[in-house]
């Protein structure tokens, strides 16, 4: 069969030669004209060329016009071919609705899951920070034992004054302030006490008014505040006259000097900013061990992160040389701001993205196997088209068009599935997921799904298209005479099954490790009775009305006593509740020790009487803090068992004396250790336990406390009582972070739960797809080998022999797939090592269990077609 495109190229005139001939003719005519006027031949030739112009340029322009026209014709031909191929592909798929439906559903699962997870990854990891030149913004911390922690204010001052790599720095401290308005209940607002440089460093200007100035950020300066757009809208109805008005914060009047633009909520969804002020005693050398502020910086143009880190670490080392007892083991921490925001969730999200791409690969391999099986039934069609003159490239293009059409249909269905999946993910996402927001299918996700669909169509359609495009017409006719349709591609189908099973095993191994890790984590003893009916909430006293330590102590004592009503079994309070991400600690001196061994470091927690009893924290030695530990009395402290073991090994700490260096504005005195209590997981179930010192709030006053109230029934039923007693004590104080204790424990493992559920879901779907793929290949093979199996049974083969033969051949790709999957799982699950708790990434029990599950499911998928093979009727086959 002739190629019409080739014929058109053959009969098309040679435009280039025509242009050259035409130009030569006109030049010759000009030359003859000048000769007739009396010019010599050479002069006539020169004058003709001068008058006529640059013949080469004119020829080049004519040839360019011809080439553009040729390209347009080729584009038109390609478009026509594409329309023809697409129409034929749709007609072909319409004739096989069952095949098309299975392929589209399979692809929709892979593409939909990929789009949903990509939406989360884009929202959290890929979205740029909304600041000018965000790549130059860095998070400044101090590092101890490999962990980024908050900074000491005095150390930060040395960093700010001594660095040569930052063009600006700013310190800040997260707070929760009480906002009161006439006629409204007090409200706790996420706020930030920040240096005035915070906004210039971020490169953000207010939408209205101004930000506070450095002169306002000093002790005794005016009380000013900047509002966030969301708070301005919610509490003040976007009143344009808000700038210059006063609002009540912590019982004091603050002047609103500005409103930030919509979307600005740095850090951690803050909606209110006030000046950060340091007292003189916070900047003394004794406070170098007190870490409680955060800081950011903007690198100078052309300065790298490594240079900045080296610059600040050199300053830190100089400070440590002067104060080794305060900063032993500390170093400077500098990391991109985006990393500081998402550092804890980056690896888990990338693991989930990798897992869902594995699921998509399994779906593609499954559809590729379906196409290979379908190509076997289309051998005659392809062979006839080839015999009639269709080139192999033309056949491959047609088959790939069908694959891409399937993929696009699967992508459209996958987007619909992704919308539903995002709603489900929204309910499973951890509460503290940074930059979470509202998930949805935006332009980025849409383009990702489209690109993924086209790529998947080419990937899963390439191998079947190449195999199907090289049929042998003579072999096909011979197969027809034999009554066999097995054709080629059997080994390729088995190889694809092995790949599919290997990918499924990797996913199963990852899900198995995540499940075992979550099981271990959920069984961790937090150190308190997590099953108790306990209500937790936080209170921050307004500083304007509670300026003295005695006033704070009186409030908490009075409020706790009022809570002890019928229905409330016990109540207590602590500075920061268990499983909190907040900390307060520093160094302390141990009396009776030689210099150099008399320093310790621990977290400090002021508590009220009844705290240990309410949470069920066991007392190991001595006594707990009770009502006799009052202000002005003998200073006492209770230490945790880790503190006792670390600082008083092989001796009884009861009766030992210490002095805590970090304080809350009051001068610290000598304290006697009166008790030892069990360790409590202060920061999370999977965080390491550190030394803890508990002191009476009456002797170590704090204006913020987290209460725990044990009730006889549902903890939330006591909320009405709590609010009533709070109004009775002070109606200007607000509650925040109200939740039952068991919800608090569940939230602390929500990230691990989310990861485990999603990985388990992906692994389950991959197992089903792998089983369906293996079953499909086995069923197709049995159907194609009916003649062979019938002849075997006619010649005396027992059904058991046929069952064993087919079953053994089906398990061959299973064996290869499991072996390859185990190797892949050992190599890939290493990236999960930091995400696991109490389980090794190479846990042999998990690998053996998932391999047994996969082999069992695969054996069942092989057994059903093999059993069907024994029912072949030999007489019917011979007939």
């Amino acid at each position: 069969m002739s190629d019409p495109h080739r014929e058109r190229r053959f009969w098309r005139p040679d435009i280039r030669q025509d242009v050259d001939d035409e130009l030569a003719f006109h030049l010759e005519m000009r030359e003859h004209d000048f000769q007739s006027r009396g010019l010599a031949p050479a002069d006539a030739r020169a004058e003709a060329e001068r008058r006529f112009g640059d013949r080469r340029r004119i020829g080049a322009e004519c040839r360019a016009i011809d080439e553009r026209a040729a390209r347009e014709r080729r584009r038109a031909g390609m478009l026509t071919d594409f329309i023809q191929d697409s129409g034929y592909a749709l007609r072909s798929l319409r004739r096989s609705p069952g095949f098309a439906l299975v392929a589209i559903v399979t692809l929709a699962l892979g593409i939909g899951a990929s789009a949903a997870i990509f939406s989360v990854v884009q929202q959290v990891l890929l979205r740029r920070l909304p600041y000018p030149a965000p790549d130059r913004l860095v998070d400044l911390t101090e590092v101890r034992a490999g962990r980024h922690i908050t900074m000491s204010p005095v150390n930060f001052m040395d960093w700010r004054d001594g660095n040569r790599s930052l063009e600006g720095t700013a310190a800040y401290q997260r707070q929760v302030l009480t906002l009161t308005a006439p006629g409204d209940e007090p409200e706790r607002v996420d706020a930030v006490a920040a240096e005035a440089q915070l906004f210039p460093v971020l490169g953000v200007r207010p939408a209205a008014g101004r930000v506070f100035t450095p002169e306002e950020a000093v002790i005794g300066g005016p009380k000013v505040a900047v509002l966030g757009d969301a708070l301005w809208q919610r509490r003040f109805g976007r009143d344009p006259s808000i700038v210059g008005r006063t609002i009540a914060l912590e019982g004091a009047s603050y002047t609103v000097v500005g409103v930030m633009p919509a979307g600005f909520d740095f850090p951690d969804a803050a909606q209110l900013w006030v000046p950060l002020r340091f007292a003189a005693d916070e900047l003394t050398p004794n406070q170098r061990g007190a870490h409680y502020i955060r800081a950011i910086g903007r690198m100078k143009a052309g300065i790298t992160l490594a240079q900045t880190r080296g610059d600040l670490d050199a300053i830190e080392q100089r400070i440590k040389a002067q104060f080794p007892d305060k900063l032993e083991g500390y170093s400077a921490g500098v990391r991109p701001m985006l990393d500081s925001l998402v550092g804890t969730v980056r690896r888990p999200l990338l693991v989930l993205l990798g897992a869902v791409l594995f699921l998509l690969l399994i779906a593609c391999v499954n559809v590729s196997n379906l196409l290979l099986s379908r190509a076997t039934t289309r051998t005659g069609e392809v062979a006839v088209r080839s015999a009639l003159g269709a080139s192999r490239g033309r056949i491959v293009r047609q088959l790939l068009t069908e694959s891409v059409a399937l993929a696009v249909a699967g992508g459209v269905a996958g987007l619909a599935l992704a919308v539903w999946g995002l709603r489900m993910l929204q309910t499973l996402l951890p509460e503290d997921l940074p930059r979470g927001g509202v998930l949805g299918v935006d332009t980025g996700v849409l383009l990702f799904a489209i690109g993924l669909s086209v790529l998947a169509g080419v990937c899963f359609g390439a191998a079947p298209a190449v195999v199907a495009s090289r049929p042998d017409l003579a072999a096909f006719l011979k197969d027809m005479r034999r009554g066999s349709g097995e054709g080629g591609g059997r080994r390729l189908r088995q190889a694809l099954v092995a790949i599919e099973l290997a990918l499924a095993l990797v996913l199963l191994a990852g899900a198995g490790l995540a499940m075992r890790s979550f099981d271990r984590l959920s069984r961790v003893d937090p150190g308190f009775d997590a099953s108790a009916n306990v209500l937790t909430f936080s209170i921050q006293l307004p500083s304007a009305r509670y300026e003295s330590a005695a006033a704070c102590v009186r409030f908490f004592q009075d409020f706790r006593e009022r809570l002890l009503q019928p229905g409330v079994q016990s109540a207590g309070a602590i500075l920061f509740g268990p499983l909190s991400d907040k900390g307060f600690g520093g160094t302390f001196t141990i009396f009776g020790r030689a210099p150099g061994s008399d320093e310790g470091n621990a977290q400090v927690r002021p508590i009220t009487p009844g705290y240990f009893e309410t949470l069920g924290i066991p007392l190991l030695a001595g006594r707990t803090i009770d009502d006799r530990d009052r202000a002005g009395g003998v200073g006492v402290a209770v230490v945790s068992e880790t503190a006792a073991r670390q600082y008083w090994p092989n001796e009884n700490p009861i009766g030992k004396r210490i002095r805590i260096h970090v304080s809350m504005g009051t001068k610290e005195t000598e304290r006697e250790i009166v008790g030892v209590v069990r360790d409590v997981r202060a920061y999370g179930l999977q965080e390491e336990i550190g030394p803890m010192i508990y002191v009476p709030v009456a002797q170590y006053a704090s204006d913020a406390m987290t209460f725990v109230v044990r009730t006889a029934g549902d903890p939330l039923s006591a909320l009405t009582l709590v609010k009533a007693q709070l109004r009775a004590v002070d109606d200007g104080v607000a509650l925040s972070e109200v939740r039952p204790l068991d919800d608090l424990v569940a939230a602390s493992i929500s990230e691990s739960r989310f990861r485990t559920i999603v990985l388990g879901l992906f692994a389950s779907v991959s197992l089903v797809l792998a089983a369906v793929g293996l079953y499909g290949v086995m069923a197709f093979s049995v159907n194609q080998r009916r003649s062979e199996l019938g002849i075997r049974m006619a010649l005396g083969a027992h059904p058991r022999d046929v069952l064993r033969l087919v079953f053994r051949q089906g398990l061959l790709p299973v064996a290869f797939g499991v072996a390859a999957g185990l190797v892949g799982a050992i190599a890939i699950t290493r990236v999960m090592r930091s995400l696991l708790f109490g389980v090794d990434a190479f846990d042999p029990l998990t690998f053996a269990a998932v391999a047994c599950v996969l082999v069992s499911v695969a054996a069942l998928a092989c057994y059903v077609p093999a059993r069907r093979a024994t029912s072949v009727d030999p007489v019917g086959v011979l007939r």
Side-chain angles (χ1 to χ4, degrees):
M1 186 175 180
S2 61
D3 185 352
H5 296 287
R6 184 175 180 182
E7 290 177 359
R8 284 198 297 268
R9 287 196 299 271
F10 180 79
W11 290 108
R12 185 169 65 100
D14 191 343
I15 301 298
R16 296 186 179 185
Q17 186 61 45
D18 286 352
V19 170
D20 291 341
D21 292 344
E22 187 71 17
L23 293 175
F25 171 74
H26 283 287
L27 185 62
E28 186 177 355
M29 292 296 294
R30 290 285 184 94
E31 183 180 349
H32 284 307
D33 183 52
F34 286 125
Q35 285 182 3
S36 66
R37 296 180 185 181
L39 292 179
D43 294 336
R45 178 76 177 180
E47 183 65 17
E49 290 180 347
R50 186 182 67 80
R51 294 287 186 91
F52 188 76
D54 188 352
R55 187 176 63 176
R56 294 180 180 176
R57 180 181 59 80
I58 296 174
E61 291 177 354
C62 292
R63 286 191 292 272
I65 293 173
D66 176 62
E67 290 174 356
R68 283 198 297 271
R71 284 197 297 270
E72 291 298 330
R73 288 192 295 271
R74 285 196 296 271
R75 289 195 191 99
M78 291 174 61
L79 180 60
T80 301
D81 290 343
F82 175 73
I83 294 174
Q84 291 175 350
D85 289 346
S86 300
Y88 184 82
L90 294 176
R91 290 192 299 272
S92 175
L93 294 176
R94 192 166 59 243
R95 289 193 297 266
S96 305
F99 161 78
L101 180 62
V102 172
I104 290 172
V105 170
T106 301
L107 290 173
L109 287 172
I111 295 174
S114 300
I117 295 299
F118 178 78
S119 178
V120 180
V121 171
Q122 177 186 247
Q123 176 80 8
V124 178
L125 301 183
L126 303 182
R127 184 164 52 97
R128 284 172 60 88
L129 293 173
Y131 311 116
D135 295 339
R136 291 167 54 194
L137 289 173
V138 291
D139 179 57
L140 306 179
T141 65
E142 292 183 286
V143 178
R144 180 179 174 85
R147 290 184 55 188
H148 291 267
I149 62 173
T150 52
M151 294 191 65
S152 162
V154 63
N155 293 346
F156 167 74
M157 298 296 181
D158 290 340
W159 286 24
R160 183 187 64 188
D161 298 335
N163 83 85
R164 295 175 295 177
S165 54
L166 300 173
E167 66 180 31
T169 60
Y172 64 92
Q173 187 178 24
R174 292 183 297 175
Q175 295 182 347
V176 181
L177 302 180
T178 303
L179 173 64
T180 55
D184 291 335
E185 286 192 8
E187 178 185 358
R188 302 287 286 155
V189 178
D190 288 329
V192 175
E195 290 189 310
Q197 294 85 354
L198 177 73
F199 306 102
V201 168
L202 292 173
V204 180
R205 297 177 180 274
R210 63 174 178 85
V211 296
F212 38 80
T213 63
E215 291 74 23
E216 292 170 328
V218 295
I219 297 294
K223 293 182 175 0
V224 295
V226 176
L227 301 182
D229 180 81
L231 180 62
W232 178 40
Q233 177 178 357
R234 178 169 50 82
R235 286 299 296 257
F236 304 100
R238 303 187 72 85
D239 183 357
S241 64
I242 189 66
V243 176
R245 286 172 48 187
T246 59
I247 59 175
L249 289 175
E250 299 297 298
S253 294
Y254 279 71
T255 302
V256 177
V257 297
V259 178
M260 298 307 294
F264 180 77
D265 58 357
F266 180 88
D268 304 323
Q271 282 300 301
L272 186 68
W273 294 266
V274 296
L276 175 64
R277 294 162 175 157
F278 295 115
D281 59 351
E282 293 182 274
L283 304 178
T284 61
N286 278 340
Q287 297 299 317
R288 290 191 180 274
H291 304 269
Y292 56 89
I293 66 165
R294 300 176 182 272
I296 62 169
R298 180 175 287 274
M299 297 187 295
K300 295 178 180 178
I303 298 296
T304 66
L305 189 68
Q307 290 173 319
T308 305
R309 187 177 292 117
D311 180 21
L312 297 182
D313 195 54
I315 299 174
E316 183 79 354
Q317 297 307 315
R318 288 198 298 269
I319 300 173
K320 186 163 63 175
Q322 299 176 24
F323 304 95
D325 57 329
K326 306 291 185 184
L327 297 175
E328 183 63 35
Y330 284 86
S331 62
V334 182
R335 51 184 174 170
M337 182 179 288
L338 182 59
D339 287 356
S340 71
L341 294 175
V342 303
T344 58
V345 300
R346 179 185 296 276
R347 186 177 289 263
L349 287 181
L350 291 180
V351 166
L352 291 181
L353 184 61
V356 79
L357 292 180
F358 266 55
L359 179 62
L360 179 61
L361 278 176
I362 292 173
C364 289
V365 171
N366 216 326
V367 175
S368 184
N369 244 330
L370 288 174
L371 286 173
L372 272 175
S373 301
R374 186 167 182 262
T376 303
T377 65
R378 301 177 65 184
T379 305
E381 170 198 343
V382 175
V384 171
R385 293 181 65 188
S386 179
L388 292 177
S391 65
R392 186 178 182 189
R394 185 71 178 82
I395 295 173
V396 168
R397 190 175 67 190
Q398 172 62 55
L399 296 177
L400 279 179
T401 302
E402 294 182 18
S403 302
V404 173
L406 273 177
V408 171
V412 172
L415 280 175
L417 186 62
V419 172
W420 174 82
L422 285 174
R423 293 174 185 169
M424 184 187 71
L425 284 178
Q426 196 80 51
T427 63
L428 294 176
L429 287 173
E431 296 178 5
D432 57 350
L433 180 70
R435 312 182 78 207
V438 179
L439 301 176
V441 178
D442 57 8
T443 304
V445 177
L446 182 63
L447 293 176
F448 174 80
I450 293 174
L452 203 61
S453 300
V454 175
L455 180 63
V458 173
C459 289
F460 71 70
V466 171
V467 170
S469 65
R470 53 182 182 190
D472 184 351
L473 183 58
F476 168 69
L477 295 175
K478 189 183 300 182
D479 284 341
M480 289 181 63
R481 290 194 300 268
R482 283 202 311 257
S484 170
E486 176 70 20
R490 182 174 62 87
R491 290 184 179 178
L492 180 57
R493 287 195 298 273
Q494 289 182 335
L496 290 176
V497 167
I499 293 173
E500 192 173 2
L501 291 169
L503 295 174
L505 183 59
V506 173
L507 271 182
L508 285 170
L513 290 173
M515 290 177 183
R516 290 205 65 198
S517 173
F518 179 72
D519 179 67
R520 294 282 182 89
L521 183 61
S522 61
R523 295 174 184 271
V524 169
D525 185 358
F528 53 85
D529 184 5
S531 64
N533 295 324
V534 175
L535 179 70
T536 69
F537 56 87
S538 298
I539 289 180
Q540 173 80 46
L541 297 179
S543 57
R545 295 207 304 275
Y546 295 88
E547 296 181 352
S548 67
C552 295
V553 170
R554 281 196 302 270
F555 173 88
F556 290 123
Q557 287 178 341
D558 187 15
F559 180 56
R560 174 181 171 272
E561 290 172 0
R562 285 176 172 271
L563 289 177
L564 299 177
Q565 303 285 338
V568 174
Q569 297 177 349
S570 62
I574 188 172
L575 175 59
F576 300 126
L579 307 179
S580 169
D581 61 348
K582 302 173 185 177
F584 179 80
T587 57
F588 63 93
T589 298
I590 304 173
F591 289 97
R593 296 275 180 89
S597 63
D598 61 342
E599 289 287 340
N601 194 300
Q603 286 289 303
V604 179
R605 296 290 185 271
I607 65 171
T608 68
Y611 173 74
F612 295 127
E613 292 76 9
T614 301
L615 284 188
I617 300 174
L619 176 67
L620 303 181
R623 69 174 178 88
T624 62
I625 291 171
D626 52 34
D627 292 331
R628 73 186 110 164
D629 302 315
R630 298 187 173 273
V634 177
V636 298
V638 173
V639 299
S640 65
E641 57 180 315
T642 293
R645 183 170 55 251
Q646 183 172 335
Y647 295 113
W648 292 275
N650 303 320
E651 58 180 318
N652 186 2
I654 304 298
K656 304 296 183 182
R657 294 175 298 116
I658 62 173
R659 174 180 291 150
I660 302 171
H661 295 160
V662 60
S663 67
M664 292 186 174
T666 58
K667 185 177 180 181
E668 262 300 286
T669 59
E670 182 177 323
R671 294 183 178 276
E672 179 183 347
I673 297 176
V674 296
V676 179
V677 295
R678 190 177 181 184
D679 285 326
V680 172
R681 302 272 177 175
Y683 297 108
L685 294 181
Q686 57 188 13
E687 298 293 333
E688 293 183 2
I689 296 176
M692 185 80 70
I693 299 176
Y694 302 93
V695 294
V697 70
Q699 300 176 354
Y700 201 99
S702 170
D703 60 356
M705 297 290 279
T706 296
F707 273 81
V708 290
V709 180
R710 182 188 290 268
T711 63
D714 181 11
L716 291 177
S717 64
L719 187 56
T720 303
L721 168 66
V722 170
K723 290 183 176 180
Q725 297 306 320
L726 183 60
R727 285 194 299 268
V729 178
D730 189 339
D731 59 1
V733 177
L735 300 178
S736 64
E737 302 174 354
V738 180
R739 65 192 311 170
L741 181 63
D742 53 357
D743 281 3
L744 193 66
V745 175
S748 69
I749 58 176
S750 58
E751 181 184 323
S752 179
R753 182 189 299 108
F754 167 72
R755 186 168 60 247
T756 302
I757 291 175
V758 174
L759 280 177
L761 181 62
F762 290 166
S764 301
V765 174
S766 71
L767 183 62
V768 172
L769 288 178
V772 170
L774 178 59
Y775 172 83
V777 169
M778 289 294 297
F780 178 81
S781 177
V782 168
N783 186 57
Q784 297 300 103
R785 298 173 61 189
R786 286 178 60 84
S787 299
E788 173 200 340
L789 298 175
I791 292 173
R792 286 177 179 270
M793 296 181 69
L795 294 177
H798 194 274
R800 268 198 320 272
D801 300 327
V802 174
L803 176 66
R804 190 161 43 245
L805 171 67
V806 177
F807 192 73
R808 184 172 61 248
Q809 291 178 349
L811 286 183
L812 184 62
V814 175
F816 282 109
V818 170
L822 286 174
V823 174
I826 292 173
I828 293 176
T829 52
R830 289 184 299 176
V831 302
M832 296 182 61
R833 181 173 295 161
S834 62
L835 308 179
L836 301 176
F837 179 82
V839 180
D840 189 76
F842 306 126
D843 183 47
L845 181 60
T846 301
F847 285 0
V850 298
C852 289
V853 170
L854 184 62
V855 170
S856 300
V857 172
L860 181 62
C862 290
Y863 176 78
V864 176
R867 183 70 179 174
R868 188 180 301 164
T870 62
S871 63
V872 174
D873 182 12
V875 177
V877 169
L878 293 177
R879 185 181 299 116

